[in-house]
Amino acid sequence: MAEIPVAPFERILKKAGADRTSEDGLVAIRDATEDYAKSLAKKSIVYAKHAGRKTIKAEDIKLALKP
Amino acid sequence: MAEIPVAPFERILKKAGADRTSEDGLVAIRDATEDYAKSLAKKSIVYAKHAGRKTIKAEDIKLALKP
């Protein structure tokens, strides 16, 4: 079950210069983006625990973004 | 201006096992994820054009996901 709706992706694609996006294209970019967010979430939870915290902070997300 | 709201990220983090996420943490994961979606959008537009189409399809997104 997806958490992020597809509507924001229609706007993101339009702003990036797309004329039109097919319905399956919108679902594909939503799913790929949500997978990315899930991966960031998992990493940031590990980093918060490592810092002795239960609350995820921006600094955990920033660390999760490092290659 | 962000297109994706923060609420879905609160659910994604909860499902991934987070007890709590700070407000700036939610904004950070939303912003990073939206940047990722923008990058996918730009690449997929190039691929659709390359295929002689104006409509972005799932196959363009899939190609944009390849490393």
Side-chain angles (χ1 to χ4, degrees):
Chain A
M1 264 287 293
E3 296 295 347
I4 312 176
V6 296
F9 297 96
E10 201 157 13
R11 295 192 295 269
I12 288 167
L13 277 149
K14 270 240 163 5
K15 276 193 184 173
D19 286 307
R20 208 190 147 267
T21 304
S22 70
E23 192 56 38
D24 69 333
L26 286 177
V27 170
I29 191 170
R30 189 270 311 277
D31 288 351
T33 302
E34 189 155 324
D35 283 348
Y36 177 79
K38 282 179 188 168
S39 160
L40 279 184
K42 279 181 199 163
K43 285 180 195 169
S44 65
I45 290 168
V46 171
Y47 294 140
K49 258 184 204 155
H50 185 72
R53 279 183 279 99
K54 286 197 165 189
T55 300
I56 315 301
K57 293 186 175 180
E59 62 197 74
D60 304 311
I61 307 291
K62 272 161 200 164
L63 199 53
L65 283 170
K66 297 210 170 160
Chain B
M1 263 286 293
E3 295 294 348
I4 311 176
V6 296
F9 296 96
E10 200 157 13
R11 294 192 295 268
I12 288 167
L13 277 150
K14 270 242 160 9
K15 276 194 183 172
D19 287 307
R20 209 189 145 269
T21 304
S22 70
E23 192 55 39
D24 69 333
L26 286 177
V27 170
I29 191 170
R30 189 270 311 277
D31 288 351
T33 302
E34 189 155 324
D35 283 348
Y36 177 79
K38 282 178 188 167
S39 160
L40 280 183
K42 278 181 200 163
K43 286 181 194 167
S44 66
I45 290 167
V46 171
Y47 295 141
K49 257 183 204 153
H50 184 73
R53 279 184 279 99
K54 285 197 166 188
T55 300
I56 314 302
K57 292 186 176 180
E59 62 196 75
D60 304 311
I61 308 290
K62 272 161 200 164
L63 199 53
L65 283 170
K66 297 209 169 160

